[in-house]
């Protein structure tokens, strides 16, 4: 899809037909009446990876490549269980993990979830943490 930021952004207002929940519901189906009728489940309120990729395309078109990359990584993260996302977040704190542990996280992201962009970020973090001496030590100190 070839999005034009001037014509298509914001997507929810100008291109709502492109946006669906991970369960396939359209935005216009997410109403208070539908919630009260029990027709909207928590899964319906999550963002779909496709929506994040569309946002990445818009960001790139307006010259924000880092934001675009963040949207693409976020799209990958939608496939992960929430608990794993929080665990990875905590593992990326300075001195929370060894380089080997971060490498294992990256390997799992890549092999189990096909989250190659997120795996690359974790590996980059491990290298930066090593240069800055903010990795956890093997001896636990």
């Amino acid at each position: 899809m070839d999005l034009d930021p001037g014509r298509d952004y914001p997507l929810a207002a100008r291109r709502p037909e492109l946006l669906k929940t991970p369960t396939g519901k359209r935005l216009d189906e997410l109403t208070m009446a539908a919630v009260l009728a029990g027709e909207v489940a928590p899964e319906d309120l999550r963002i779909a990876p496709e929506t994040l990729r569309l946002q990445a395309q818009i960001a790139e078109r307006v010259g924000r490549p880092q934001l675009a990359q963040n949207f693409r990584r976020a799209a990958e993260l939608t496939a992960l269980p929430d608990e794993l996302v929080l665990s990875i977040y905590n593992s990326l704190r300075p001195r929370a993990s060894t380089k080997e542990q971060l490498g294992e996280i990256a390997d799992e992201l890549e092999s189990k979830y096909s989250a190659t962009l997120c795996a690359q970020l974790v590996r980059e973090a491990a290298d930066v943490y090593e240069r800055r001496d903010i990795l956890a030590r093997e001896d636990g100190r």
Side-chain angles (χ1 to χ4, degrees), residues 49-132:
E50 296 81 15
T51 300
L52 291 160
R53 289 186 195 101
L54 291 172
Q55 291 290 85
Q57 191 181 129
I58 294 282
E60 204 147 62
R61 290 277 169 92
V62 297
R64 311 242 354 242
Q66 295 90 352
L67 180 60
Q69 194 71 334
N70 285 341
F71 279 129
R72 288 187 184 98
R73 282 191 291 267
E76 289 184 349
L77 290 175
T78 63
L80 278 66
D82 293 343
E83 300 77 28
L84 180 57
V85 173
L86 290 173
S87 171
I88 293 169
Y89 172 80
N90 284 324
S91 296
L92 285 167
R93 292 170 171 260
R95 295 185 176 77
S97 302
T98 64
K99 187 167 186 177
E100 181 181 318
Q101 289 168 327
L102 291 174
E104 290 168 3
I105 290 168
D107 291 346
E108 179 183 14
L109 285 168
E110 221 164 36
S111 65
K112 189 171 181 181
Y113 298 99
S114 298
T116 56
L117 297 173
C118 291
Q120 179 183 357
L121 179 73
V122 172
R123 288 187 183 103
E124 287 174 17
D127 290 341
V128 170
Y129 289 7
E130 183 175 48
R131 284 194 309 271
R132 293 186 176 179

Side-chain angles (χ1 to χ4, degrees), residues 1 3 8-30 44 46-56 58:
M1 166 145 318
L3 294 175
D8 298 320
Y9 186 80
L11 295 173
R14 296 192 176 162
R15 297 297 303 272
E17 75 280 3
L18 298 177
L19 306 179
K20 296 200 178 346
T21 69
T23 60
K25 285 195 167 79
R26 297 181 323 268
L27 288 184
D28 64 354
E29 295 178 274
L30 303 176
D44 296 320
R46 299 178 76 102
I47 194 163
E50 296 81 15
T51 300
L52 291 160
R53 289 186 195 101
L54 291 172
Q55 291 290 85
I58 294 282

